[in-house]
Amino acid sequence: DGGITQSPKYLFRKEGQNVTLSCEQNLNHDAMYWYRQDPGQGLRLIYYSQIVNDFQKGDIAEGYSVSREKKESFPLTVTSAQKNPTAFYLCASSSDRHRGRLTDTGELFFGEGSRLTVL
Amino acid sequence: AQSVAQPEDQVNVAEGNPLTVKCTYSVSGNPYLFWYVQYPNRGLQFLLKYITGDNLVKGSYGFEAEFNKSQTSFHLKKPSALVSDSALYFCAVREAGDFNNDMRFGAGTRLTVKP
């Protein structure tokens, strides 16, 4: 079945450690996104990518890094510079417009999330 | 830039009663509007969307939403609530035809349906 797979589901990190969250999609979507969810704050955009080898910062990119070497994969690294990393992280994808070609209405498809806890 | 407001943090209804979860939006141009539902420790699931056409949009699990351009609202409704509808609901907006702008989400409304 087509979809988005995030791993791990739960992750614990000691202070000062970098961790990488995996996100893989087989929907053939061009665009991929990382959101952070904290209670009462909705979803906040960390990074997004509309095409391979290109990505842009979202609203809260500080302390995070991403790569987009393959269309299917968009891993997120939470670095030690992120001061408050404990949160629920959601990856999403959509078949967005690319280079002027409108492919869809922009609906996002989400993975099941990864919960990161700093010990 | 676009934005979404969900004025109620919490909505409580009795099973079998109608439910409404409110959403208002702000965009420069025409909106694409979405509702998502989230169950505990899960990702967001798409419920329905408004793109163009009929202002009343029907979606999954018996939910519907009404687009009101003059009031810039997109309230989620269901005629008869189920206990299993209890979840966190998010409204979201994108500006039509411009996907260089990302999707903006409201803060969420927690719906509790009591037996």
Side-chain angles (χ1 to χ4, degrees), chain A residues 26-117:
Chain A
N26 60 4
L27 300 168
N28 199 34
H29 284 170
D30 289 315
M32 297 187 73
Y33 307 80
W34 274 104
Y35 288 90
R36 170 179 171 142
Q37 185 178 17
D38 295 283
Q41 294 194 44
L43 277 67
R44 292 183 290 169
L45 184 65
I46 305 173
Y47 269 98
Y48 67 102
S49 168
Q50 293 187 320
I51 191 173
V52 174
N53 292 322
D54 187 43
F55 47 83
Q56 288 78 41
K57 294 181 179 180
D59 298 324
I60 55 166
E62 184 175 354
Y64 299 97
S65 66
V66 293
S67 62
R68 187 85 187 277
E69 298 177 359
K70 298 187 299 182
K71 186 175 184 178
E72 300 79 17
S73 179
F74 192 41
L76 173 74
T77 297
V78 185
T79 75
S80 57
Q82 169 51 235
K83 299 305 179 187
N84 185 23
T86 295
F88 192 53
Y89 292 88
L90 288 160
C91 180
S93 70
S94 69
S95 56
D96 279 357
R97 182 180 71 182
H98 172 55
R99 296 179 180 173
R101 178 173 63 89
L102 183 62
T103 58
D104 205 341
T105 50
E107 169 188 337
L108 298 187
F109 295 80
F110 284 86
E112 288 296 292
S114 294
R115 184 167 297 281
L116 172 63
T117 302

Side-chain angles (χ1 to χ4, degrees), chain A residues 9 37 59 97 105-106 112, chain B residues 41-42 49 94 97 104:
Chain A
K9 179 72 172 176
Q37 185 178 17
D59 298 324
R97 182 180 71 182
T105 50
E112 288 296 292
Chain B
N41 292 312
R42 304 291 298 276
K49 64 184 176 184
R94 297 186 95 162
R104 291 287 169 171

Side-chain angles (χ1 to χ4, degrees), chain B residues 15 37 39 61 63 78 81-87 89 111 113:
Chain B
E15 188 175 29
V37 60
Y39 297 98
Y61 312 120
F63 284 94
K78 187 172 182 180
L82 300 173
V83 173
S84 58
D85 293 330
S86 299
Y89 290 81
L111 173 67
V113 180

